[in-house]
């Protein structure tokens, strides 16, 4: 049904005709986009009276107040043809001043029974003639207007004060009333009024045209239709015309008049004239007459019974309801009526009400009509009155309203539940899960498929109730015509297919798809947000089903909610992906493999919506068998915290590469955080492990202490000084040194692993120690795999079913010592002989270790490093070789001056030594020691097995004139003497 007609259907019966006309015109003009409209009612002879208009100025409506039924105007033609007519403006306004605007007039008749009683006309704008749908709307609107006119209440009669029954006084009152007479030529239309009638009907002599149109123009619009009907009925039935109606006086107000007349007829029974009288009735009727008339014609049935329960009065509605005339009812006992006998307990209730002198009401069914009535028994001083109201439609409407209210409440509850679930949904999968849980069961649906557009393809976002092979087949469907999902996306309108046959008839090329999906009915719903359709939601059923209009409306409403939630979730998914990528880029992609330790690590983001945090871990390989293990925590979650973490991690790598002591590194980080100009709260723990001494030096800033697990399984937490977080304290930071046995575990973590709103830090550390003691060894007694140990710790401390509000980092390292047989060191003299001694020590030690292939290169490196120390530094001087994963050569001295590489020219005598070192090693560097500095080099142990030749570029760098070199370094003039 058209929405406007549905709205008009809700108008209560019984509104006045003027209100009916106003509503009809208002909705006609709005629905058609017209400029204005008017309603005419048919009068006697060939006149049409304008009773209502909207949007039209008086200059246009004045000539249309009374128009000829037989004329060429749009209302007259619609009335004459009995159907809608379209009259272009040029045709309809010929000769009229001012001219009609717009394109034309559309008019439809208003019919009552077997004849037309009026018309509805609208003035169309630039859009031209109404469409077929608009014509249908106008005709339906005319039908509604006629129905509401029939249901309109009769004109409210004036209240007349009670006159005494003295007939003389009544005659005296009538003498004081001015009575006008009139004579109407029914065939010719001439209407003759005397002077009293002119005054009665508010017409000046100069305005009087002796036409029936004069009378129609002065009658109140609400009273015109019933009065005309009374005239027509009196003429047809050869009866007396009697009516009471309002007319417009000369001052513009309306007053009540009463008219009485009778028609005359020719020998063929055709009406000739109607002669009658009229008089003012504002003060001419008694209150008793008014009450009797009201009771007689009231819409409810009314019975009056005396003290003996015999009927003394019955109105027309009571006669119709009981199926008996007033004569048949008068004097009969109420209980003897056939209809009354069908009402259980009527006599008892009536007698009880009379005895208690209290009204009582109840519903009952009377007769076999199936209709329902409400009976109200009201006791009075002279008997009892019984009101009978047909409440069949009312009770039906009440039931429908209650059912509608229950349905609306259920619908609102479903939408509220879905809205709440969607509000909590963060990711696209959360949205799909909420829809599957909240939408499918109430509709008895068994399948859900949500797809979104990426490029020119539809990709699955989530699904429920579909086989995997079907989902694979429909994932990534290109934009092609003849596909229901793409059709819905293109149109932006929902589509409902109630059966496989309907699906196949519409999409014959896809007839096999329902069988693969196992579904037999579908609702394809577009996902539209921010004015753009970006996907489709398909709700499917495993049996044929035709959804009701209410269900379709509800699903369409739900799809709008889903679209909003899914758009928000997709934004979150994209941000989440970017955040995770940033997080991965800021944390180590893989832990470096270093001889000093084997390690495993975990990063656990906080709960949903807080995936990016500031926790980090790191392993930094250093020289001399050392390794730095780091863990830190920037308080908070989000991109700023992650960016701060990245800056600190980069700075820490730079400081660690300088091989500064842990306390100095903490001091530099503290200055960096303090200089950021941000309210950053950062904790950090830096552990430096030396595999040659098995000493672990630890410095921290506001961070929980590490857990140390000894080979026997004992766990303890070193006592660190209570240094404040970075940026909040002042140097110096304290360093704690621990002797760590071979194979011990060093476990570094952030507070998010052990502390939460439900667990104190000490309690969490105790839980960590308990898990380490039980999981340190396997059941067979072997060392636990570090990856499995990390999983055990995270699952035990942060179970998946309990999301946390803080992220956590965990680093577990098994420490390895470099044993004494892999370490060799010698003191050297502070004179030129030191280089030769260094070469001899290198040859002998590498022969012991079976590394003769590395002897030439290592001798050359040792000679260069020791020679530089002797020339440019001060003692004491020493040499150390470390045989680990690489061969490390270290030269110590007491100077703090660091060498630096430079580009030497062809004429320079020096400056090529560090270039030589760079060419011969994997990497080299320097570091400060408590007594000075150390210059170190690293060489790979992987050789081809043959004795390598010294690189030509290395010899040319150090010995430009060494063309006759035989391979014996001692034969070259180093400037030293063994």
């Amino acid at each position: 049904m058209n929405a406007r007609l549905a709205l008009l259907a809700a108008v209560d019966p019984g509104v006045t005709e003027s209100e009916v006309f106003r509503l009809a015109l208002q909705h006609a003009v709005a629905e058609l986009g017209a400029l204005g409209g008017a309603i005419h009612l048919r009068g006697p002879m060939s006149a049409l009276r304008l009773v209502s208009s909207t949007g039209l100025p008086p200059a246009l409506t004045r000539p249309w107040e009374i128009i000829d039924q037989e004329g060429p105007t749009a209302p007259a033609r619609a009335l004459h043809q009995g159907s809608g007519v379209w009259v272009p403006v040029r045709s309809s306004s010929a000769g009229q001043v001012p001219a009609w605007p717009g394109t034309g007039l559309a008019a439809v008749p208003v019919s009552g029974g077997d004849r037309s009683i009026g018309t509805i006309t609208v003035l169309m704008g630039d859009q031209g003639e109404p469409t077929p749908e608009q014509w249908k709307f106008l005709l339906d609107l005319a039908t509604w207007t006629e129905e509401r006119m029939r249901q309109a209440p009769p004109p409210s009669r004036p209240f007349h004060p009670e006159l005494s029954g003295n007939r003389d006084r009544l005659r005296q009152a009538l003498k004081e009333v001015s009575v006008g007479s009139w004579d109407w030529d029914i065939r010719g239309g001439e209407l003759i009024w005397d002077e009293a009638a002119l005054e009665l009907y508010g017409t000046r002599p100069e305005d009087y045209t002796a036409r029936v149109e004069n009378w129609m123009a002065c009658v109140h619009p609400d009273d015109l239709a019933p009065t005309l009907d009374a005239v027509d009925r009196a003429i047809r039935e050869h009866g007396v015309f009697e009516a009471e109606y309002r007319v417009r006086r000369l001052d513009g107000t309306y007053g009540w008049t009463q008219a009485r007349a009778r028609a005359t007829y020719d020998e063929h029974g055709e009406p000739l004239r109607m002669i009658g009288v009229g008089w003012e009735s504002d003060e001419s009727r008694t209150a008793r007459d008014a009450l009797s008339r009201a009771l007689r014609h009231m819409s409810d049935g009314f019975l009056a019974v005396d003290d003996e329960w015999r009927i003394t009065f019955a109105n027309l509605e009571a006669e119709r309801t009981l199926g008996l005339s007033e004569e048949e009812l008068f004097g009969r006992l109420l209980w003897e009526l056939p209809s009354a006998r069908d009402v259980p307990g009527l006599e008892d209730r009536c007698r009880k009400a009379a005895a208690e002198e209290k009204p009582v009401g109840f519903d009952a069914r009377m007769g076999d009509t199936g209709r329902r009535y409400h009976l109200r028994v009201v006791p009075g001083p002279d008997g009892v009155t019984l009101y009978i109201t047909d409440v069949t439609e009312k009770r039906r409407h009440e039931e429908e309203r209650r059912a509608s209210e229950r349905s609306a409440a259920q619908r609102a509850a479903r939408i509220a539940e879905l809205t709440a679930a969607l509000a909590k949904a963060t990711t696209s999968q959360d949205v799909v899960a909420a829809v599957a849980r909240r939408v499918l069961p109430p509709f008895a649906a068994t399948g859900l498929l949500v797809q979104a557009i990426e490029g020119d393809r539809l990709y699955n976002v989530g699904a429920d109730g579909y086989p995997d092979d079907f989902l694979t087949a429909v994932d990534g469907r290109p934009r092609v015509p003849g596909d229901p999902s793409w059709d819905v996306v293109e149109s932006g309108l929902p589509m409902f297919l109630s059966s496989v046959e309907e699906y196949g008839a519409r999409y014959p090329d896809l007839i096999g798809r329902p069988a693969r999906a196992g579904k037999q009915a579908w609702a394809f719903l577009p996902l539209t947000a921010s004015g753009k359709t970006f996907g489709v939601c398909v709700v499917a059923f495993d049996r044929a089903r035709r959804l009701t209009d209410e269900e379709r409306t509800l699903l369409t409403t739900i799809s709008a909610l889903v679209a909003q939630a899914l758009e928000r979730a997709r934004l979150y998914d994209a941000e989440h992906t970017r955040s995770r990528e940033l997080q991965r880029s800021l944390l180590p992609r893989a832990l470096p493999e270093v001889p000093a330790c084997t390690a495993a690590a975990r990063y656990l983001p906080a709960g949903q919506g807080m995936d990016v945090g500031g926790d980090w871990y790191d392993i930094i390989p250093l020289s001399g068998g050392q390794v730095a293990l780091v863990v830190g925590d920037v308080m908070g979650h989000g991109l700023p915290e992650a960016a701060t973490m990245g800056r600190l991690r980069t700075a820490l790598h730079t400081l660690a590469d300088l091989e500064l002591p842990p306390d100095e590194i903490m001091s530099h980080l503290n200055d960096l955080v303090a200089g950021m100009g941000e309210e950053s709260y950062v904790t950090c723990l830096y552990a430096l492990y030396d595999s040659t001494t098995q000493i672990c030096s630890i410095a921290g800033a506001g961070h929980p202490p590490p857990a140390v697990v000894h080979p026997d399984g004992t766990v303890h937490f070193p006592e660190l000084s209570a240094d404040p977080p970075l940026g909040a304290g002042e140097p110096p930071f304290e360093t704690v040194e621990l002797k760590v046995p071979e194979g011990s575990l060093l476990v570094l973590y952030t507070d998010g692993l052990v502390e939460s709103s439900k667990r104190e830090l000490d309690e969490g550390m105790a839980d960590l120690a308990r898990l380490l003691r039980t999981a340190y060894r396997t059941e067979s007694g072997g060392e636990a795999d570090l990856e499995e140990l990390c999983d055990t710790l995270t699952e035990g401390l942060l179970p998946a079913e309990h999301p946390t509000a803080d992220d956590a980092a965990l680093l577990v390292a098994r420490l390895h010592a470099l044993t004494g047989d892999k370490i060799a060191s010698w003191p050297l003299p502070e004179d030129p002989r030191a280089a030769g001694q260094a070469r001899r020590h290198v040859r002998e030690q590498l022969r012991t270790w079976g590394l003769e292939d590395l002897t030439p290169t290592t001798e050359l490196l040792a000679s260069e490093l020791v020679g530089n120390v002797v020339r440019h530094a001060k003692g004491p001087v020493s040499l150390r070789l470390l045989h680990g994963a690489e061969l490390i050569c270290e030269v110590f001295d007491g100077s703090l001056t660091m060498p630096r590489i430079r580009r030497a020219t062809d004429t320079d005598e020096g400056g090529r030594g560090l270039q030589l070192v760079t060419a011969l090693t994997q990497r080299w560097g320097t570091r400060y020691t408590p007594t000075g500095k150390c210059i170190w080099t690293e060489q790979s142990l992987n050789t081809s097995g043959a004795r390598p030749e010294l690189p030509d570029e290395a010899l040319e760098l150090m010995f430009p004139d060494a063309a006759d070199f035989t391979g014996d370094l001692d034969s070259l003039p180093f400037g030293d003497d063994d």
Side-chain angles (χ1 to χ4, degrees):
M1 176 186 290
N2 181 278
R4 295 187 181 278
L5 293 175
L7 183 62
L8 290 173
V11 176
D12 291 332
V15 298
T16 63
E17 289 185 341
S18 59
E19 180 66 10
V20 172
F21 300 152
R22 184 188 68 81
L23 289 173
L25 287 179
Q26 177 182 342
H27 285 280
V29 170
E31 178 70 17
L32 273 67
L35 301 178
I39 292 181
H40 288 79
L41 288 184
R42 187 174 192 171
M45 301 303 294
S46 61
L48 279 172
R49 159 78 188 281
L50 177 69
V51 294
S52 184
S53 67
T54 183
L56 301 178
L60 292 179
T61 59
R62 194 176 298 114
W64 269 31
E65 287 186 351
I66 302 294
I67 59 179
D68 188 357
Q69 295 181 16
E70 305 298 331
T73 60
R77 291 171 60 180
L79 191 72
H80 179 69
Q81 297 179 14
S83 61
V85 298
W86 167 252
V87 179
V89 163
R90 289 189 301 273
S91 173
S92 65
S93 59
Q96 179 174 322
V97 179
W100 287 92
T103 56
L105 296 163
V108 294
V110 179
S111 300
D114 56 353
R115 63 193 300 269
S116 298
I117 61 174
T119 61
I120 298 176
T121 307
V122 291
L123 175 62
M124 299 299 290
D126 295 336
Q127 66 271 37
E129 183 177 357
T131 64
E133 292 78 9
Q134 291 174 333
W135 277 118
K136 183 178 184 304
F137 172 80
L138 282 177
L139 293 172
D140 292 341
L141 183 66
T143 301
W144 176 86
T145 303
E146 189 276 332
E147 291 175 355
R148 285 300 188 269
M149 287 176 63
R150 283 192 287 103
Q151 297 170 354
S156 300
R157 304 299 188 239
F159 177 79
H160 306 291
E162 179 71 84
L163 296 176
S164 69
N166 191 307
R167 300 182 66 85
D168 293 334
R169 293 185 60 189
L170 181 57
R171 293 191 186 93
Q172 183 63 32
L174 289 174
K175 289 180 181 180
E176 297 175 1
V177 175
S178 176
V179 178
S181 61
W182 44 270
D183 183 356
W184 174 33
D185 181 357
I186 297 177
R187 293 182 176 178
E190 184 181 30
L191 177 64
I192 305 299
W193 284 342
D194 61 12
E195 292 183 1
L198 286 172
E199 181 179 359
L200 176 67
Y201 296 121
T203 303
R204 295 183 178 88
E206 59 268 25
D207 297 330
Y208 177 60
T209 62
R211 302 295 298 175
V212 73
E213 287 82 357
N214 283 112
W215 172 78
M216 291 178 61
C218 69
V219 179
H220 193 283
D222 283 351
D223 302 344
L224 181 60
T227 305
L228 292 175
D229 184 69
V231 172
D232 185 69
R233 185 170 56 253
I235 294 175
R236 292 198 316 269
E237 298 175 357
H238 294 230
V240 176
F241 164 68
E242 188 174 10
E244 190 172 15
Y245 50 89
R246 289 164 290 180
V247 297
R248 186 175 59 241
R249 299 189 178 100
L250 288 174
D251 60 0
T253 62
Y254 283 89
W256 284 96
T257 66
Q258 192 166 351
R260 184 178 179 85
R262 184 182 291 275
T264 61
Y265 304 83
D266 61 12
E267 63 274 18
H268 303 293
E270 295 296 324
L272 295 174
R273 314 181 71 83
M274 178 175 278
I275 302 173
V277 295
W279 65 91
E280 286 188 6
S281 59
D282 285 337
E283 301 293 336
S284 66
R285 300 177 60 191
T286 65
R288 186 181 301 277
D289 292 336
L291 178 59
S292 176
R293 184 182 179 92
L295 291 176
R296 182 66 177 164
H297 297 280
M298 69 186 295
S299 59
D300 292 344
F302 179 82
L303 287 175
V305 298
D306 57 17
D307 293 338
E308 297 180 356
W309 301 99
R310 296 189 178 277
I311 297 173
T312 59
F313 178 84
N315 69 353
L316 294 175
E317 182 63 21
E319 295 175 17
R320 186 191 65 79
T321 302
L322 300 174
L324 299 172
S325 65
E326 184 177 16
E327 292 77 10
E328 294 172 318
L329 291 172
F330 188 78
R332 294 187 64 175
L333 193 64
L334 178 62
W335 331 120
E336 295 179 353
L337 299 177
S339 299
R341 288 197 294 265
D342 296 334
V343 181
L346 175 63
E347 182 177 356
D348 295 338
R349 295 185 183 189
C350 290
R351 293 187 183 278
K352 182 178 180 182
E356 297 178 353
E357 296 185 352
K358 291 182 179 180
V360 62
F362 55 92
D363 284 3
R365 297 188 184 276
M366 302 177 65
D368 55 359
T369 62
R371 303 195 66 80
R372 191 172 180 180
Y373 297 88
H374 181 76
L375 280 65
R376 181 169 176 80
V377 181
V378 181
D382 299 323
V384 173
T385 56
L386 182 66
Y387 296 88
I388 307 172
T389 305
D390 188 340
V391 293
T392 305
E393 297 300 321
K394 181 179 180 181
R395 294 293 185 261
R396 183 177 63 81
H397 287 312
E398 289 176 352
E399 290 294 334
E400 291 176 351
R401 186 184 72 252
R402 284 193 290 268
S404 177
E405 289 174 352
R406 287 194 299 269
S407 178
Q410 294 173 356
R411 183 167 61 250
R414 291 175 185 171
I415 292 179
E417 291 175 358
L418 178 61
T419 302
L422 293 177
K424 297 177 181 178
T426 305
T427 66
S428 299
Q429 295 305 313
D430 294 339
V431 173
V432 174
V435 175
R437 186 169 55 254
R438 302 289 183 181
V439 176
L440 298 189
F443 289 91
T446 58
L448 174 70
L449 175 61
V450 178
Q451 293 185 305
I453 301 174
E454 294 182 16
D456 277 338
R457 292 180 177 271
L458 275 174
Y459 289 94
N460 296 346
V461 175
D464 186 87
Y466 281 97
D468 293 339
D469 59 339
F470 174 79
L471 295 177
T472 302
V474 299
D475 193 19
R477 280 180 293 173
R479 186 189 297 266
V480 294
D483 184 284
S485 296
W486 276 114
D487 287 352
V488 168
V489 170
E490 294 289 347
S491 66
L493 299 174
M495 179 171 58
F496 303 93
L497 301 177
S498 304
S499 65
V500 174
E501 291 75 18
E502 185 177 354
Y503 189 105
R506 187 155 187 169
Y507 300 101
D509 294 339
L510 303 177
I511 190 60
R513 183 176 290 177
R516 295 184 62 184
K519 308 301 177 187
Q520 298 188 29
W522 302 263
F524 292 88
L525 308 169
L527 296 176
T528 304
S530 303
K532 180 180 179 182
T533 301
F534 64 87
V536 62
C537 175
V538 184
V539 177
F541 306 84
D542 58 5
R543 58 181 176 84
R545 178 174 179 186
R546 183 171 298 278
L547 296 170
T548 65
D549 291 341
E550 182 180 353
E551 289 174 326
R552 296 186 178 192
T553 301
L554 180 57
L555 281 174
T556 304
T557 302
I558 288 174
S559 70
L561 296 175
V562 174
Q564 297 290 339
L566 192 59
E567 183 184 42
R568 184 179 65 250
R570 293 177 72 202
L571 293 175
Y572 170 82
D573 289 341
E575 181 180 355
H576 175 74
T577 301
R578 291 192 297 268
S579 300
R580 283 298 179 88
E581 291 176 352
L582 172 63
Q583 188 81 55
R584 285 193 294 269
S585 67
L586 294 176
L587 291 174
R589 294 188 178 275
L591 296 178
E593 296 181 2
V594 294
C597 70
T598 54
R602 293 289 186 274
Y603 173 78
L604 293 92
Q608 208 171 61
M610 298 181 293
D611 296 287
V612 179
D615 289 17
W616 87 93
Y617 59 85
D618 223 333
I619 291 182
I620 306 173
L622 301 175
S623 65
Q626 299 180 105
V627 63
L629 298 98
V630 187
V631 69
D633 183 3
V634 180
M635 184 183 68
H637 307 88
L639 295 179
E641 287 74 14
T644 300
M645 178 266 283
R647 295 167 63 185
L648 292 177
R649 181 169 175 256
T650 301
L652 190 58
H653 266 267
T654 302
L655 295 171
D657 285 341
L658 296 176
E659 305 211 37
L660 300 176
D663 57 334
E664 292 189 28
I665 289 180
M666 286 292 106
S667 297
H668 285 296
L669 288 178
N670 182 74
D671 295 340
L672 177 63
V673 174
M676 285 182 178
E678 305 169 359
E679 296 181 358
S680 297
Y681 182 94
V682 182
T683 67
C684 184
L685 186 71
Y686 185 93
L688 177 62
Y689 173 66
D690 189 341
S691 62
T692 63
T693 62
Q694 301 182 39
I695 297 296
C696 186
S697 303
I698 305 172
H703 203 86
V708 179
V709 185
H710 287 270
D712 61 359
T714 58
V715 181
H716 78 281
F717 296 92
E719 293 186 4
L720 304 181
S721 62
D723 289 322
L726 297 176
E730 294 291 338
F733 289 85
E734 183 178 343
T735 300
V736 174
E737 293 187 348
L738 305 174
K739 182 74 173 181
V740 184
E742 161 70 23
S744 297
L745 293 184
L746 186 64
V747 182
L748 284 70
Y749 54 91
T750 58
D751 59 354
L753 185 71
V754 294
E755 186 180 27
S756 67
S757 59
K758 298 180 180 179
R759 182 173 59 192
E760 296 294 335
L761 179 62
D762 293 342
E763 182 183 353
M765 292 171 61
D767 292 340
L768 173 62
R770 174 180 53 79
L771 290 171
L772 286 171
R773 281 193 294 269
T774 57
Y776 174 65
R777 295 284 184 181
T778 62
E779 294 181 359
S780 60
E783 292 181 342
D785 179 78
L786 295 185
E787 296 290 342
E788 295 180 358
L789 179 59
C790 285
D791 292 338
T792 300
L793 296 179
T794 55
E795 291 171 3
L797 295 171
L798 299 175
E801 61 271 16
H802 297 102
T804 62
D806 193 11
D807 52 344
L810 171 66
L811 177 61
V812 180
R814 178 173 285 115
L815 305 180
H816 306 298
L818 193 63
T819 57
D821 59 338
K822 300 293 183 180
I823 304 173
S825 61
W826 306 269
L828 297 174
E830 298 182 39
D831 57 45
R833 296 174 303 166
Q837 293 182 19
R839 290 195 298 274
R840 184 176 67 251
H841 292 321
V842 167
R843 283 194 300 271
E844 294 173 353
Q845 188 60 48
L846 293 186
R847 186 181 306 113
T848 302
W849 285 342
L851 300 177
E852 290 88 346
D853 292 341
L854 296 178
T855 299
T857 305
T858 309
E859 283 187 52
L860 188 57
L861 292 172
S863 294
E864 172 60 27
L865 297 180
V866 172
N868 281 340
V869 167
V870 171
R871 290 187 185 94
H872 305 295
K874 61 181 180 179
V877 182
S878 63
L879 171 68
R880 186 170 75 164
L881 295 179
L882 305 178
H883 179 196
E886 296 88 13
L887 178 62
I888 300 175
C889 177
E890 298 177 325
V891 176
F892 298 85
D893 65 66
S895 172
L896 297 178
T897 303
M898 291 291 182
R900 62 186 181 87
I901 193 168
R902 66 185 179 86
R903 175 68 62 182
T905 64
D906 294 340
T907 59
D908 289 341
E909 295 184 359
R912 297 178 179 84
L914 293 181
Q915 295 183 43
L916 174 70
V917 171
T918 302
L920 295 177
T921 62
Q922 285 184 319
R923 64 181 187 132
W924 70 276
T926 61
R927 68 175 181 271
Y928 289 106
T929 66
T931 59
K933 71 174 181 295
C934 169
I935 306 175
W936 54 269
T937 67
E938 284 187 6
Q939 302 173 74
S940 174
L941 299 181
N942 297 325
T943 62
S944 60
R947 181 182 180 90
E949 297 289 340
L950 289 173
D952 292 340
E953 62 271 18
L955 290 175
E956 291 176 0
L957 283 171
M958 193 169 185
F959 308 107
D961 300 326
D964 300 328
F965 177 62
T966 62
D968 184 5
L969 290 178
D970 288 334
S971 66
L972 292 175
F974 281 103
D976 58 341
D977 184 7
D978 287 344

